[in-house]
Amino acid sequence: MGPVELLHMSVFSQSFSPCGRFLAAGNNYGEIALFSLAAALSPDATAANQKPVLTFTAHEGPVFSLLSTDCVLLSSGNGEVSSWSWTELTKKNVKPLWTKRPNYKSGLEIPEINSMVINPRDNSLAIGAGDNNIHILDLEHGAFKATLQGHTDYLHCVCMREREAELLSGGEDGAVRMWDSRTGQCVHCIEVYKYESCARPRYGKWISCLTTDSDWMLCGGGPSLSLWHLRSLSPTSVFPLRGCQRQAAFHQDMILAVGEGAFVSHCLLGGEVKAQIPCTPPSLNTMQLNTKSSEHRVLTVGGGSSNIDVFTNLSYRAFSLSF
Amino acid sequence: MGAVTDDEVIRKRLLIDGDGAGDDRRINLLLKSFTKWCHSPGSPEEGFTQYQRMLGTLAQCEFSMGKTLMVYDMNLREMENYEKIYSNIEQSIMSAHDKIGECKKEIQRAKRIRKNRQEYDALAKVIQQHPDRHETLKQLEALDKELQQLSHIKENVDAKLELRKKQFHVLLTTIQELQQTLEIDEKSDSDDHSQESPAENGE
């Protein structure tokens, strides 16, 4: 990796291992790097511990999405999904378990896969693809079960509403659609840009970040980041954040959001921005909280640089891992 | 006893004689003077003075032994005291740990409560934007009443219209019949006339 490539590197996705001791990060060159959190967080960590323990090329195109289940790491790139075993990766064995390609209708262009989410009820993977559809892959049998059609432009993000077994998807066409995961029907369709309080016409109508905790939903992108009450499908708070948000999460009583701008925004549910914690990349693409481990409970963010910032305490940046 | 090496003996002796120059020497001197006194042929006064001197030395030795014993006791008690303080501190560390755990749980609870409150506030904000339910119900009732009244009036007006229509109809039919009767009469009159005049012309 020459210095010029490092300068142009962007981190698009991250995922923690099921044991919580490793972090996998995917960049725009199609590589996945594995960092050892246990080594980087130990009291006698050196600069070498902040480098990856393993880097390998996973796909030809950028790795836009990474997802971990109990024993495998799923990665998406260039229209295909690959699965890697975590135990094999920790032993530095980089052979994928399988690589599958959803059935795209158009043969000419290769749609990218921007986002994936697992439905734990029936062990299936929902893939939000660039051909405007959501493809459902059954992880047990390895076959594509269904295709959810409805969006008129490519999908940016998908997430799962656990309690009601619904899938939420947001796309470039500005619509947030809710699908029933059993029947595959589109239950609701919210066009966020049509609501005056959220719309920001000068940024566009695309929805790039979507997250939910069954009762509430956060969505943002072109329109401002807003908190929606799902039962009544009405926006309750709009967050005055400049720039477009690319990822948001509910954490205890706060909302964390990252996007354009070199900071992590902490917001309260009422709509105020409590704090903006600065970090090294000039803009952020991905944010992950390590909830699976109790001793390595960190927040990591990555974006338009080869550095991944690690926050041990949410109020300040502790150190950075670098590719 | 035979297995104890010379080094050990020397080390022990050095240790014991460490506190003040002369305890060991005093005991040795006492022993020597005692043997000298036993074997001395001198006068009884000298023997007596030497005896007194030996008693004095013995008393000194006993005194220093008593002092050492007391110091030893004091050290033992100090050790006990420190043990007690040590265990107290350990206990308070444990309880502080427990308290920290409790406080952390409290914080989690408080954060959850705060989150719930904020969600409630957010929903309340949205709900406030909609008008009050009672007012809307009252407005609906008033509108209903108005509607009823208006339909009542409409019915009345309709009935009146029907009545008038019927009356006019009766009037018009009567007029038409009268007209017809008059025409028939006129016609029969003119017929009569025309029948009479040819009859007159014929004569």
Side-chain angles (χ1 to χ4, degrees), chain A residues 46-66:
Chain A
T46 62
N49 291 121
Q50 290 165 3
K51 286 288 197 183
V53 295
L54 171 67
T55 314
F56 61 97
T57 307
H59 296 277
E60 291 168 352
V63 181
F64 283 124
S65 172
L66 281 175

Side-chain angles (χ1 to χ4, degrees), chain A residues 36-50 296 319:
Chain A
S36 165
L37 275 181
L41 288 169
S42 70
D44 49 353
T46 62
N49 291 121
Q50 290 165 3
H296 305 307
F319 58 91

Side-chain angles (χ1 to χ4, degrees), chain A residues 23 29 50 65 95 127 151 183 314:
Chain A
L23 170 68
Y29 296 120
Q50 290 165 3
S65 172
K95 197 162 144 26
I127 301 173
H151 278 278
T183 61
L314 284 180

Side-chain angles (χ1 to χ4, degrees), chain B residues 64-79:
Chain B
S64 84
M65 183 180 86
K67 200 164 67 166
T68 326
L69 272 176
M70 296 213 104
V71 169
Y72 174 70
D73 265 343
M74 176 194 83
N75 282 342
L76 279 180
R77 261 181 280 159
E78 273 297 302
M79 277 279 290

Side-chain angles (χ1 to χ4, degrees), chain A residues 285-296:
Chain A
N285 288 331
T286 163
M287 165 177 76
Q288 289 279 14
L289 263 167
N290 192 3
T291 43
K292 294 183 196 140
S293 153
S294 53
E295 68 257 22
H296 305 307

Side-chain angles (χ1 to χ4, degrees), chain A residues 213 216 229 252-253 269, chain B residues 111 114-115 118-119 123:
Chain A
D213 71 345
W216 302 82
H229 185 234
Q252 292 174 348
D253 61 337
L269 286 168
Chain B
K111 280 198 174 158
R114 188 185 193 198
K115 180 176 186 194
Q118 286 182 333
E119 285 177 4
L123 268 179

Side-chain angles (χ1 to χ4, degrees), chain A residues 123-146:
Chain A
N123 202 14
S124 63
L125 180 71
I127 301 173
D131 64 344
N132 313 351
N133 300 333
I134 303 178
H135 300 268
I136 312 279
L137 169 68
D138 187 345
L139 286 173
E140 279 189 33
H141 305 126
F144 284 94
K145 286 201 300 197

Side-chain angles (χ1 to χ4, degrees), chain B:
Chain B
M1 260 327 252
V4 178
T5 59
D6 277 342
D7 273 345
E8 293 272 330
V9 175
I10 292 174
R11 203 178 292 151
K12 264 233 160 112
R13 287 198 122 188
L14 282 171
L15 271 173
I16 292 169
D17 207 357
D19 70 290
D23 263 349
D24 207 23
R25 198 163 58 103
R26 216 178 286 154
I27 292 177
N28 285 342
L29 272 175
L30 183 60
L31 225 63
K32 274 196 211 130
S33 52
F34 179 68
T35 43
K36 213 166 41 166
W37 183 70
C38 287
H39 292 297
S40 77
S43 56
E45 294 94 9
E46 264 186 42
F48 190 65
T49 34
Q50 276 207 336
Y51 172 69
Q52 292 289 356
R53 221 177 282 148
M54 274 195 302
L55 278 181
T57 329
L58 192 64
Q60 272 179 350
C61 289
E62 277 180 358
F63 175 71
S64 84
M65 183 180 86
K67 200 164 67 166
T68 326
L69 272 176
M70 296 213 104
V71 169
Y72 174 70
D73 265 343
M74 176 194 83
N75 282 342
L76 279 180
R77 261 181 280 159
E78 273 297 302
M79 277 279 290
E80 270 178 32
N81 193 19
Y82 282 143
E83 287 281 340
K84 224 187 329 170
I85 294 178
Y86 180 73
S87 59
N88 274 358
I89 289 180
E90 248 190 44
Q91 256 184 6
S92 48
I93 285 179
M94 296 281 300
S95 66
H97 261 296
D98 286 337
K99 240 188 269 181
I100 284 180
E102 291 267 333
C103 285
K104 279 199 180 151
K105 264 189 250 168
E106 271 296 310
I107 248 194
Q108 291 297 336
R109 219 170 64 97
K111 280 198 174 158
R112 229 175 326 139
I113 289 177
R114 188 185 193 198
K115 180 176 186 194
N116 286 342
R117 278 213 193 113
Q118 286 182 333
E119 285 177 4
Y120 173 84
D121 278 340
L123 268 179
K125 226 187 340 175
V126 175
I127 290 175
Q128 286 288 68
Q129 290 171 355
H130 292 275
D132 200 6
R133 183 161 48 112
H134 289 294
E135 277 188 29
T136 325
L137 276 175
K138 264 192 258 177
Q139 277 182 6
L140 275 173
E141 271 180 35
L143 280 173
D144 257 340
K145 238 189 285 181
E146 237 187 270
L147 205 70
Q148 268 184 14
Q149 272 180 356
L150 287 174
S151 62
H152 200 63
I153 291 176
K154 180 171 179 250
E155 272 178 33
N156 284 354
V157 167
D158 271 342
K160 224 195 249 182
L161 194 69
E162 275 300 312
L163 189 66
R164 295 284 190 282
K165 248 201 241 173
K166 281 194 197 133
Q167 285 178 337
F168 268 112
H169 187 74
V170 164
L171 186 66
L172 281 174
T173 23
T174 332
I175 286 180
Q176 232 189 12
E177 269 180 22
L178 182 65
Q179 223 178 18
Q180 272 186 356
T181 331
L182 283 175
E183 268 178 18
I184 288 176
D185 273 349
E186 247 189 63
K187 212 162 141 204
S188 68
D189 262 355
S190 69
D191 268 352
D192 274 347
H193 260 286
S194 59
Q195 264 194 358
E196 271 186 25
S197 24
E200 273 183 16
N201 284 345
E203 282 189 5

